[in-house]
Amino acid sequence: MALRTVCAAALRTGTDLGVNNARTIATTAVLSKRARPLGPMPNDDIDTSNLESLETYRSYNRYFRQAEEAKNKRVWWKTYRSYVEKADPEHGAERVDIGLPYWPPSRTKVVKERRQAMSENKRNVELERASRLRTLKIPLARVQETWEKTGGPFDIKKLADHYGVFRDLFPMAYFLPQVTLRISYSQDTDGQVHYGNQLTPTEAVSAPRIAFDAEEGSLWTLLLTSPGQRRLYGNIPGGAVQAGEELCHYLPPFPARGTGFHRYVYVLFKQEKPISFREDLRASPCHSLVDRTFKTVDFYRKHQDDMTPAGLAFFQSQWDQSVTNTFHNTLNMKEPVFEFIRLPVYHPPQVKYPHRQPLRYLDRYRDGKEHTYGIY
């Protein structure tokens, strides 16, 4: 009887095994009937049985060059890039440089000047004594000047990209700010405009002092732009901003309460010739937000044949008490206030005998009084 049971179990196991094998064979057959690829698959030309015979890259530059060639090579299958470009045609598109051409300084000249400066410093006895006594002071003005002439424009461009300045003002375009703008709202350094620093509307309530280096006989256009903000000077001779045509007067920053930080961007354009800004002229004073509002990219496209962006500076500002005065007394309108309305915390209906609840359970249902958590 026991032998018969064992034989039956063995036969049943063999039958089940046969069914599972049959399913596996059928699944493999279905997978093997898939359509053949429309073209060669990646790395079909590589002999995987003899990988040691493959040629090595030998250098990173050669690897990078071949990787770029492989990336730009057209393939028969649909890549991730093609899916993304179909959903967003401008994704990955190369931006256009609309700024002044950049001519890097001669490397030989830079090295020669650096060696000459090092030789003069070594022969300077006073400099050696100050360095030994740890009283040497680095002239920050010279450091700033050197930075502006070397890596400054590239650093400013990176900051503008980080804050989305080019993305919002000049879509799919950028420029290298090669002319340094010096903008100050006060006598000290706290009120200066740099590249993303924070200034309060109270500090920027009055028009700033603006200066930049310009050759004699050149013409410039200065633009201050932000949501609802606009200041425009055209046909500025040399670096004298006040001598230019004021097309739209200055209005203090008025970021609405609850909207966070706003960017205020100064853009300097170099003109090829005198420009007629009759269509851009606004009555002074102009307190109409509708008349002051415009798109920077539309203004540039209208005059792009006669001007080129060359300088950039911007700061951030958020609401303070002076904004209320600007809305009420200058703009003569009600001040908009934006705030997040939090819903009241939901509590389930109170029960008479709360089970496994903390001791402060009843504090949730007090009538408008302050909670006394932990005080009993």
Side-chain angles (χ1 to χ4, degrees):
M1 182 66 181
L3 182 60
R4 186 183 305 170
T5 304
V6 171
C7 293
L11 291 174
R12 185 165 55 252
T13 303
T15 305
D16 295 342
L17 183 61
V19 172
N20 291 337
N21 289 340
R23 291 177 179 174
T24 303
I25 294 173
T27 304
T28 305
V30 171
L31 292 176
S32 63
K33 290 182 180 180
R34 287 183 176 178
R36 292 177 59 84
L38 300 178
M41 297 298 292
N43 301 328
D44 270 355
D45 55 340
I46 296 178
D47 184 10
T48 57
S49 61
N50 188 14
L51 296 179
E52 296 181 356
S53 63
L54 295 178
E55 184 180 3
T56 58
Y57 294 109
R58 297 192 302 274
S59 68
Y60 175 76
N61 291 335
R62 189 180 181 198
Y63 161 75
F64 184 78
R65 183 169 59 254
Q66 294 187 13
E68 287 291 326
E69 293 176 358
K71 183 181 70 172
N72 298 327
K73 185 179 179 181
R74 297 186 62 86
V75 293
W76 59 268
W77 61 83
K78 197 168 185 180
T79 61
Y80 172 76
R81 183 193 302 177
S82 60
Y83 279 104
V84 173
E85 290 178 351
K86 183 178 180 180
D88 184 9
E90 295 185 354
H91 178 80
E94 186 176 357
R95 297 188 301 172
V96 180
D97 186 0
I98 59 176
L100 297 173
Y102 176 73
W103 306 105
S106 173
R107 178 65 179 173
T108 305
K109 182 179 179 181
V110 172
V111 173
K112 183 178 179 180
E113 292 177 353
R114 186 178 300 173
R115 289 178 179 176
Q116 183 179 358
M118 292 177 63
S119 178
E120 293 177 356
N121 291 339
K122 289 180 180 179
R123 292 195 301 265
N124 192 331
V125 180
E126 297 294 333
L127 190 64
E128 186 276 334
R129 182 184 294 109
S131 177
R132 178 163 39 83
L133 298 177
R134 297 184 179 181
T135 59
L136 177 63
K137 295 183 179 181
I138 300 177
L140 298 181
R142 290 184 58 186
V143 175
Q144 177 76 13
E145 182 181 356
T146 304
W147 174 77
E148 292 175 356
K149 293 180 179 179
T150 55
F154 299 94
D155 295 337
I156 298 172
K157 175 183 172 298
K158 291 179 181 179
L159 289 171
D161 282 328
H162 174 75
Y163 284 97
V165 173
F166 294 137
R167 178 195 62 204
D168 296 336
L169 296 187
F170 306 100
M172 303 308 299
Y174 71 96
F175 67 92
L176 200 63
Q178 301 185 43
V179 180
T180 303
L181 278 171
R182 300 178 183 87
I183 304 173
S184 179
Y185 281 95
S186 62
Q187 299 293 340
D188 53 5
T189 58
D190 295 337
Q192 292 184 359
V193 177
H194 298 291
Y195 312 103
N197 59 311
Q198 299 178 13
L199 295 177
T200 63
T202 302
E203 294 174 329
V205 68
S206 301
R209 299 190 313 274
I210 304 173
F212 57 91
D213 297 332
E215 58 272 15
E216 186 178 356
S218 59
L219 294 175
W220 305 80
T221 296
L222 181 65
L223 170 66
L224 169 60
T225 180
S226 182
Q229 176 65 283
R230 182 185 186 185
R231 189 193 187 191
L232 190 58
Y233 272 96
N235 296 320
I236 302 173
V241 178
Q242 300 300 330
E245 301 177 19
E246 186 179 30
L247 306 177
C248 190
H249 85 290
Y250 180 78
L251 193 64
F254 51 93
R257 186 174 187 176
T259 57
F261 284 97
H262 289 226
R263 297 161 300 171
Y264 294 85
V265 186
Y266 285 90
V267 184
L268 181 67
F269 299 88
K270 185 175 183 181
Q271 298 179 200
E272 300 294 335
K273 61 180 182 179
I275 301 177
S276 174
F277 294 102
R278 184 176 303 174
E279 298 180 0
D280 304 298
L281 182 62
R282 298 293 183 270
S284 182
C286 179
H287 295 153
S288 173
L289 297 184
V290 176
D291 295 338
R292 299 183 67 94
T293 303
F294 79 116
K295 287 187 176 182
T296 305
V297 65
D298 294 340
F299 171 78
Y300 170 70
R301 286 172 178 169
K302 184 167 56 175
H303 304 289
Q304 62 181 347
D305 295 336
D306 301 323
M307 64 170 55
T308 305
L312 180 70
F314 58 96
F315 68 96
Q316 301 181 87
S317 185
Q318 65 175 347
W319 182 92
D320 69 358
Q321 195 61 42
S322 66
V323 176
T324 303
N325 179 68
T326 302
F327 273 107
H328 290 176
N329 299 330
T330 303
L331 300 178
N332 195 22
M333 59 181 293
K334 293 183 178 180
E335 179 186 9
V337 177
F338 300 86
E339 60 180 6
F340 180 77
I341 302 177
R342 297 183 179 273
L343 298 177
V345 180
Y346 171 76
H347 295 299
Q350 182 179 0
V351 295
K352 188 174 183 180
Y353 301 103
H355 179 60
R356 302 183 66 179
Q357 294 291 336
L359 292 177
R360 60 175 182 267
Y361 170 78
L362 295 178
D363 286 343
R364 303 176 184 176
Y365 305 96
R366 297 172 64 93
D367 297 333
K369 297 181 180 180
E370 295 184 1
H371 293 180
T372 57
Y373 296 129
I375 302 176
Y376 300 100

